[in-house]
Amino acid sequence: MHAHTLTRWQHSHDFITINNKGEQRTRYVLLLTAVTMVAEIFAGSIYGSMALLADGWHMATHVAAFMITIFAYRYARKHANDPAFTFGTGKVTVLGGFSSAVALAVVALVMVVESLERIMNPQVIHFNEAITVATIGLLVNLVSAFMLKDEHAHHHHGHTHEHNHRHDHNLRAAYLHVLADALTSLLAIIALMAGKHAGWNWLDPVMGVVGAVVITRWSYGLLRETGPILLDASIEKEYRRKILDAIEKDADNKVSDMHIWKVGANDYAAIISLVTHFPNATEHYKNLLRPYEQLSHVTIEVQECKEPPCITPQLSGQPLQR
């Protein structure tokens, strides 16, 4: 029976991205967006501007998205050491980003439907009033984007390993929502100005469609970033090949099975099984992977090959899963 503790062989499973400043600024942006949303929906309905009304309504979904962002931060922090989560709550903020990306896609769809309806059934637009409210909305969005942009690229991580490039998909989603707001406000102003001075009232709903297309692209990009993480997609092929080479260039090691997947926005876990005639302690193989800082949780299985020649899975017809 062991008389000593296991602390030496244990480590944290906390892979969450801690971004207190980003969370606080998201709250401020939430408040600004909510106030502007009410003003734009009210003004768009009274003054008959589809571009302005669309901006107000999709701001409502952004308010919901910001609430998701804040909830994800709090939930991940609260349950960071909860044993119910095998690898911690590192993916909670990624899930928040994915949910916000879906919300962006819904915004784009609603904008297209409403814009097409306005193209088929034009309405009278009160240009001066609508331009004033849209301009206020644009200013609010620019201020919000500046607040979130500062923290978008600079934050630290709760795990003990520090990497050069960190990702906070939760905050990135909030940032994209603000950019979508700013874009639609700008398009609304352009359309309203063209309608007022050139009589191009048709441009108002057309700008709604243009904005929807751009927002859809942003949504798709964020879905591509977060989706694979939630589905345990593996690491990039080039990086995986380097990890494989680091193991197999040592002695006569052959990797028989290897699984690498993300357990958070910036951390990977790896399970590697290898066969060798000259087995070492697992710490030896972990040291071979020490330069690959993205690997935050590594499990090594060593199998001794006692009967040469040792047939690898490739030679025996069994594909190597990597």
Side-chain angles (χ1 to χ4, degrees):
M1 183 175 180
H2 293 287
H4 50 270
T5 67
L6 298 176
T7 305
R8 174 184 171 186
W9 294 275
Q10 295 176 326
H11 60 270
S12 172
H13 291 83
D14 177 11
F15 302 116
I16 67 172
T17 298
I18 299 175
N19 194 349
N20 294 326
K21 289 185 178 180
E23 180 180 352
Q24 183 179 22
R25 294 189 177 191
T26 301
R27 291 197 199 99
Y28 296 150
V29 170
L30 170 62
L31 180 60
L32 286 173
T33 303
V35 172
T36 308
M37 170 199 74
V38 173
E40 289 199 346
I41 292 177
F42 183 74
S45 300
I46 293 179
Y47 304 136
S49 169
M50 178 53 223
L52 186 57
L53 189 61
D55 187 26
W57 276 116
H58 92 258
M59 267 190 166
T61 62
H62 295 337
V63 169
F66 295 147
M67 293 178 70
I68 291 174
T69 299
I70 294 172
F71 172 79
Y73 278 132
R74 290 184 176 181
Y75 188 90
R77 185 170 57 248
K78 180 180 179 181
H79 298 277
N81 298 310
D82 190 337
F85 297 91
T86 303
F87 288 101
T89 54
K91 289 188 178 181
V92 172
T93 53
V94 179
L95 180 59
F98 181 87
S99 301
S100 294
V102 173
L104 275 174
V106 173
V107 166
L109 178 61
V110 171
M111 288 176 64
V112 169
V113 173
E114 292 293 333
S115 297
L116 292 178
E117 182 179 347
R118 290 299 178 95
I119 291 176
M120 300 298 296
N121 301 294
Q123 295 188 11
V124 177
I125 301 175
H126 300 271
F127 293 106
N128 292 333
E129 295 86 348
I131 290 173
T132 299
V133 177
T135 301
I136 294 174
L138 177 60
L139 292 175
V140 170
N141 292 326
L142 291 177
V143 171
S144 299
F146 176 78
M147 293 173 66
L148 294 180
K149 177 63 175 178
D150 183 49
E151 291 301 322
H152 175 60
H154 303 284
H155 51 276
H156 73 278
H157 188 256
H159 193 259
T160 54
H161 294 108
E162 289 295 332
H163 307 319
N164 294 327
H165 188 55
R166 313 303 302 172
H167 295 281
D168 185 349
H169 295 98
N170 200 34
L171 188 62
R172 173 169 166 75
Y175 179 67
L176 287 180
H177 275 276
V178 169
L179 286 187
D181 279 339
L183 173 66
T184 51
S185 294
L186 178 61
L187 294 178
I189 293 173
I190 294 174
L192 291 168
M193 293 293 289
K196 176 181 178 181
H197 297 290
W200 295 355
N201 291 20
W202 53 268
L203 190 60
D204 185 74
V206 169
M207 283 300 189
V209 175
V210 173
V213 172
V214 175
I215 293 172
T216 298
R217 290 190 51 145
W218 290 343
S219 172
Y220 178 69
L222 190 55
L223 287 172
R224 286 191 62 183
E225 288 182 21
T226 55
I229 299 176
L230 297 175
L231 295 174
D232 292 334
S234 187
I235 202 167
E236 294 84 359
K237 289 183 178 180
E238 181 180 355
Y239 205 87
R240 186 174 58 200
R241 172 54 60 180
K242 290 180 179 179
I243 293 173
L244 182 68
D245 289 343
I247 295 292
E248 294 194 340
K249 286 182 179 180
D250 175 69
D252 71 336
N253 305 331
K254 287 295 181 181
V255 174
S256 59
D257 193 34
M258 181 166 68
H259 300 276
I260 304 175
W261 73 101
K262 275 195 170 183
V263 290
N266 307 284
D267 297 273
Y268 285 86
I271 298 177
I272 301 174
S273 179
L274 62 93
V275 180
T276 179
H277 287 91
F278 313 102
N280 285 289
T282 56
E283 192 63 29
H284 168 77
Y285 303 101
K286 289 184 178 181
N287 285 332
L288 296 176
L289 301 178
R290 195 76 65 186
Y292 303 96
E293 295 183 344
Q294 285 181 288
L295 299 180
S296 302
H297 190 285
V298 179
T299 302
I300 301 289
E301 179 186 30
V302 182
Q303 301 179 67
E304 182 179 2
C305 185
K306 298 182 178 179
E307 299 180 4
C310 186
I311 302 176
T312 64
Q314 298 98 314
L315 296 178
S316 63
Q318 298 297 323
L320 174 59
Q321 187 172 4
R322 294 173 179 168

